[in-house]
Amino acid sequence: MDIEQAKEQISQLRKQINYHNYRYYILDEPEISDAEYDRLMRKLQALENQFPELITPDSPTQRVGAAPLEAFESYTHATPMLSLDNGFDEGEIREFDARLRKMLPPNEQVQYVAEPKFDGLAVELVYENGVLTVGATRGDGVVGENVTQNIKTIKSVPLRLIDREIPPPERLEVRGEVVIPIKDFEKLNLRREKSGEPLFANPRNAAAGSLRQLDPKVTASRPLDIFFHSSGQVTGYTFRTHWEFLDTITKWGLKVSPLKRLCRSIDETFAFYSELMKMRENLPYEIDGMVIKVNDMAQRATIGEKTRSPRWAIAYKFPARQEITQIIDIIAQVGRTGTLTPVAIMKPVRIGGVEVSRATLHNQDEIDRKDIRIGDWVVVQRAGDVIPEVVKVIESRRTGNEKKYQLPNKCPVCGSHVVRLPDEVAHRCQNMSCPAQLKQQIKHFASRNAMDIEGIGNKLVDQLVDSGLVKNAADLYFLSKNQWANLDRLAEKSASNIIDALEKSKRVPLERFIFALGIRFVGEHSAKLLAQHFRSLENLKKATYEDLLEIHEIGPQSARSIVEFFAEPKNLQTIERLLEAGVTIEKGKEADAGEKPLAGKTFVFTGALENFSRNEAEKLVESLGGRATSSVSKNTSYVVVGKDPGSKAEKARQLGVTMLSEDEFLKIVNR
Ligand code: IVH
């Protein structure tokens, strides 16, 4: 192939990929399966490898792959990113309407566009002649940070605008909100909890934290999404109305919330407000209100702006899911990796139908920043399934008897030194065999997705550790039947059950063994990547920091933690003793080789699955040699039917294709 042919093919492939991205991420109506999409990507990748001079920054292959930065550069917005005034009830919204009407000719009609107010991180993207050139955070409104390489990793951000219907303008500055879906936020926190990382307080913090990563690989691993809602400077195109703006940018491939309404008067916005509030609980994203904006651009220009916010828009906030209560005490909880987390013990209150009596205070910095003291009356907030948190102190209710709190410098469980490392917010107990840490470690080690030792519950672990019988995970395998049976309340029968369970747990796939070790920052997903990459514990042990960074999705933090873990003689000893006890590690499967139990089988998924996203399920099928496609035919081997299945289930029934429930699917893929 000569370079001209390559150029043509590359251009075709990019167009196709961009189009399918748009179908998948913006319209949520894919036309091809993930497998077909991957094939297109691989083909493009191969051509670009062959002709590297044809790689351009807007190629779909260029989303991830930029090197980590030392620091972000600052970025000055061409026009300041304003904020919005808030209104909290109908009265305040009517005042807003009356205020702006005064600036317009008497009795002129004012149309409004109402949209959800996304609770995320504000960003500005710059497209020059349709190509994404800059992505920046809002910062203080005038100067933000240039986070282009991170913005590019967001799948719903087009690197190049679609020009089929309307050619994009010379310069388009478009503003939006980066968000993390609530479900993904919860999964992310669960993963962080398991690997001993500090939790994000809410989806907005998770989105902000993810976007401000110096290593774009980390950002790429976070499920960020974006909704566009306003513009900065635009050269070479004029929008007459905001509605037209939203419509046009959608045609350019930019994601706009479908929940928007054109209202002919302020009254009509109130109906939409009630609708949105009802929908709020079931939306995949956090929204904290509704934004009302004058539709007509000429009217906006007449009405004008204040220094920090426009007069032509307002945020009509939802009532917060907050309550007021008193802090009775603050305690320090010790986690698996020794982190001390301050927890407020409060007079119980009901928030959104749930009784809350504890709230995390995250860390000492948060306590100091919010100046939280024992005895304080505080505002407590709960959003979705997020751990309740203290929002702020009500200082006017202080009596002077409140007590300041400082995390102890001795571990509350073992009395060892507590240290705060220079680059961490966490205070940590330094004693690796601290009973609190040890208990959490043992529970983790025995848990279902780790060694899966049935019958090792909280009470039992407490006894094992408190009695000194177990000083590390390996000790579990060396206890005699007598020792088990002598534990309080453990009958002989249960003792032999546990011994059986221990015996059964001894054959373990490499990825589960790695996960069970409880290395900081190594959750289930990373453990799997490590197992696939290194294929044996011996190889993993020998891995250097640089080797580890080679793996996509393993970042500097995990890499450092892994190296440190295997440099610690105590950890190596524990591993040795586990092997001595007869633990047999099954070799990790290479991502592409290994068994192909689903070879020749074609799967179609319909409806929502409980355990996987569609994408994960399809990837799983492919990793086992099967094919996942999007439409049912008589050649389809199985249709996996989730919750609220679509027409594909019906079609499968007509064609007599085998239908599987999610449970049956799990059995087939051996999960
Ligand atoms: S319009 C000048 N629309 O809320 C007004 N903003 O508190 C420009 N936000 O900084 C913003 N959802 O980042 C607009 N549908 C929406 C929004 C929205 C969330 C954010 C925005 C702004 C902040 C103001």
Side-chain angles (χ1 to χ4, degrees):
M1 181 180 309
D2 66 26
I3 188 148
E4 282 310 314
Q5 287 167 319
K7 217 185 225 165
E8 177 56 29
Q9 271 211 26
I10 284 179
S11 150
Q12 285 302 326
L13 281 166
R14 286 180 187 164
K15 277 210 180 106
Q16 282 180 30
I17 292 169
N18 285 340
Y19 172 73
H20 290 301
N21 267 340
Y22 174 70
R23 303 279 325 179
Y24 189 94
Y25 292 108
I26 313 292
L27 301 182
D28 202 12
E29 286 168 2
E31 275 177 4
I32 58 173
S33 71
D34 288 5
E36 285 167 80
Y37 178 86
D38 289 345
R39 269 195 289 283
L40 292 175
M41 271 301 259
R42 277 200 297 271
K43 215 158 139 190
L44 175 61
Q45 191 90 58
L47 277 171
E48 287 185 347
N49 286 346
Q50 208 182 335
F51 298 94
E53 63 273 34
L54 297 179
I55 299 178
T56 57
D58 65 325
S59 170
T61 57
Q62 302 302 300
R63 278 199 189 270
V64 212
L69 293 173
E70 292 284 325
F72 295 116
E73 284 179 10
S74 53
Y75 178 83
T76 308
H77 301 286
T79 56
M81 288 180 76
L82 299 179
S83 60
L84 292 167
D85 288 344
N86 292 326
F88 294 93
D89 55 41
E90 252 186 57
E92 289 180 1
I93 303 303
R94 287 193 194 283
E95 281 167 26
F96 153 78
D97 173 63
R99 235 178 359 249
L100 67 85
R101 282 165 164 290
K102 279 201 195 122
M103 330 227 17
L104 298 171
N107 297 325
E108 184 170 291
Q109 203 208 352
V110 179
Q111 289 196 337
Y112 290 106
V113 177
E115 307 165 7
K117 183 170 193 298
F118 290 100
D119 198 9
L121 186 75
V123 292
E124 174 172 273
L125 273 60
V126 182
Y127 286 92
E128 291 174 80
N129 296 310
V131 177
L132 176 67
T133 52
V134 172
T137 61
R138 175 174 184 275
D140 61 7
V142 177
V143 181
E145 286 175 316
N146 185 325
V147 289
T148 311
Q149 55 174 353
N150 290 346
I151 290 281
K152 279 182 158 186
T153 67
I154 303 176
K155 306 273 194 349
S156 46
V157 165
L159 302 183
R160 171 185 277 277
L161 298 178
I162 297 173
D163 55 7
R164 222 169 325 131
E165 225 175 303
I166 306 169
E170 199 180 316
R171 183 180 178 87
L172 171 72
E173 293 178 1
V174 61
R175 294 168 179 179
E177 218 68 15
V178 173
V179 296
I180 279 192
I182 298 167
K183 275 229 167 71
D184 291 309
F185 158 74
E186 283 162 3
K187 270 194 232 156
L188 180 63
N189 257 356
L190 211 64
R191 273 215 309 264
R192 289 172 76 84
E193 194 177 4
K194 281 191 184 159
S195 55
E197 291 168 273
L199 301 189
F200 288 116
N202 52 47
R204 176 168 33 82
N205 285 5
S210 303
L211 201 62
R212 297 192 64 260
Q213 290 289 334
L214 291 169
D215 183 355
K217 270 190 200 162
V218 179
T219 312
S221 75
R222 304 278 169 80
L224 297 174
D225 202 351
I226 193 163
F227 288 100
F228 293 99
H229 51 56
S230 54
S231 63
Q233 209 178 62
V234 183
T235 324
Y237 203 95
T238 315
F239 303 103
R240 230 181 31 77
T241 63
H242 182 59
W243 196 255
E244 181 199 333
F245 164 76
L246 293 177
D247 191 48
T248 310
I249 65 169
T250 308
K251 287 181 179 145
W252 286 332
L254 296 166
K255 190 165 180 173
V256 169
S257 168
L259 302 173
K260 55 182 187 300
R261 181 157 306 168
L262 186 59
C263 303
R264 274 160 306 174
S265 69
I266 202 71
D267 282 319
E268 287 189 20
T269 66
F270 297 139
F272 188 53
Y273 181 80
S274 315
E275 282 175 42
L276 267 185
M277 196 134 78
K278 278 198 207 103
M279 274 188 262
R280 180 187 191 187
E281 293 297 328
N282 299 317
L283 290 179
Y285 308 95
E286 293 267 16
I287 64 173
D288 58 353
M290 174 178 86
V291 183
I292 307 174
K293 304 170 181 177
V294 168
N295 187 31
D296 189 282
M297 296 294 185
Q299 282 181 339
R300 281 190 186 184
T302 311
I303 298 164
E305 278 142 17
K306 297 182 281 181
T307 332
R308 314 194 90 249
S309 56
R311 288 199 182 83
W312 44 260
I314 193 165
Y316 187 1
K317 299 290 282 267
F318 290 143
R321 284 175 278 205
Q322 297 181 336
E323 275 303 333
I324 290 170
T325 185
Q326 193 179 20
I327 297 186
I328 305 166
D329 197 6
I330 298 178
I331 59 164
Q333 266 179 0
V334 189
R336 170 162 63 84
T337 53
T339 308
L340 267 62
T341 305
V343 176
I345 310 294
M346 308 172 302
K347 282 194 184 145
V349 273
R350 290 186 80 76
I351 311 177
V354 175
E355 189 169 274
V356 174
S357 61
R358 286 172 164 240
T360 174
L361 300 175
H362 301 296
N363 52 56
Q364 187 69 45
D365 283 358
E366 281 287 295
I367 296 184
D368 297 344
R369 196 170 62 77
K370 295 180 180 161
D371 188 20
I372 297 168
R373 306 178 190 179
I374 298 170
D376 265 334
W377 285 86
V378 290
V379 177
V380 186
Q381 159 173 298
R382 204 193 125 246
D385 291 335
V386 180
I387 318 163
E389 61 165 352
V390 171
V391 182
K392 63 169 185 199
V393 171
I394 306 172
E395 279 184 46
S396 58
R397 290 183 78 161
R398 280 207 172 137
T399 61
N401 292 331
E402 294 76 15
K403 281 207 291 288
K404 286 208 179 212
Y405 177 83
Q406 181 69 45
L407 276 172
N409 50 22
K410 295 250 164 22
C411 171
V413 177
C414 72
S416 301
H417 239 51
V418 167
V419 172
R420 178 179 181 167
L421 297 177
D423 56 343
E424 291 190 354
V425 288
H427 286 66
R428 218 177 275 287
C429 164
Q430 291 307 98
N431 175 10
M432 287 212 331
S433 33
C434 167
Q437 283 187 54
L438 185 56
K439 284 176 188 173
Q440 298 298 330
Q441 272 170 29
I442 303 284
K443 284 178 207 166
H444 170 79
F445 180 82
S447 66
R448 198 157 67 93
N449 297 342
M451 297 300 280
D452 193 15
I453 310 170
E454 223 173 294
I456 308 246
N458 287 353
K459 288 230 171 68
L460 198 58
V461 172
D462 285 351
Q463 279 189 54
L464 289 169
V465 173
D466 293 340
S467 65
L469 280 175
V470 166
K471 295 203 169 55
N472 63 52
D475 290 342
L476 289 173
Y477 291 97
F478 289 94
L479 295 183
S480 68
K481 189 165 174 185
N482 247 339
Q483 282 173 310
W484 283 110
N486 279 339
L487 291 169
D488 282 354
R489 283 190 302 246
L490 207 64
E492 198 161 320
K493 173 89 173 37
S494 337
S496 36
N497 285 348
I498 286 183
I499 288 173
D500 286 350
L502 280 162
E503 207 48 46
K504 223 171 78 192
S505 75
K506 283 183 182 171
R507 282 194 74 83
V508 59
L510 179 59
E511 60 193 61
R512 293 227 319 255
F513 186 80
I514 297 172
F515 177 58
L517 291 175
I519 306 170
R520 268 184 86 204
F521 306 122
V522 177
E524 256 180 290
H525 181 65
S526 306
K528 191 167 185 173
L529 296 175
L530 293 170
Q532 280 175 353
H533 188 89
F534 291 105
R535 320 270 320 266
S536 75
L537 191 67
E538 283 315 305
N539 291 341
L540 174 61
K541 271 200 223 160
K542 284 187 296 216
T544 63
Y545 177 73
E546 287 74 24
D547 294 342
L548 289 158
L549 281 187
E550 291 279 302
I551 306 174
H552 179 61
E553 289 187 74
I554 299 286
Q557 219 175 16
S558 335
R560 203 172 307 129
S561 164
I562 295 163
V563 173
E564 278 168 11
F565 182 91
F566 288 110
E568 170 58 51
K570 269 195 180 161
N571 293 336
L572 296 177
Q573 246 172 42
T574 304
I575 294 176
E576 274 315 305
R577 288 193 61 235
L578 283 167
L579 301 179
E580 230 173 83
V583 170
T584 319
I585 303 169
E586 291 162 7
K587 290 256 181 277
K589 289 193 190 108
E590 207 177 323
D592 294 323
E595 287 174 65
K596 296 281 181 202
L598 300 185
K601 299 272 188 262
T602 313
F603 285 73
V604 173
F605 293 89
T606 177
L609 301 178
E610 301 228 318
N611 292 287
F612 318 86
S613 71
R614 177 79 54 91
N615 194 353
E616 285 164 352
E618 291 184 346
K619 287 258 151 63
L620 180 61
V621 165
E622 281 155 21
S623 73
L624 298 172
R627 250 165 60 80
T629 65
S630 52
S631 57
V632 182
S633 75
K634 61 179 189 333
N635 297 327
T636 307
S637 321
Y638 302 106
V639 172
V640 181
V641 184
K643 257 224 313 264
D644 301 325
S647 57
K648 289 174 198 167
E650 185 47 41
K651 181 137 188 226
R653 202 167 297 125
Q654 283 167 12
L655 293 173
V657 175
T658 309
M659 292 198 273
L660 300 177
S661 69
E662 182 167 352
D663 280 347
E664 290 166 319
F665 171 66
L666 286 174
K667 280 200 195 108
I668 288 191
V669 295
N670 229 336
R671 282 295 171 110

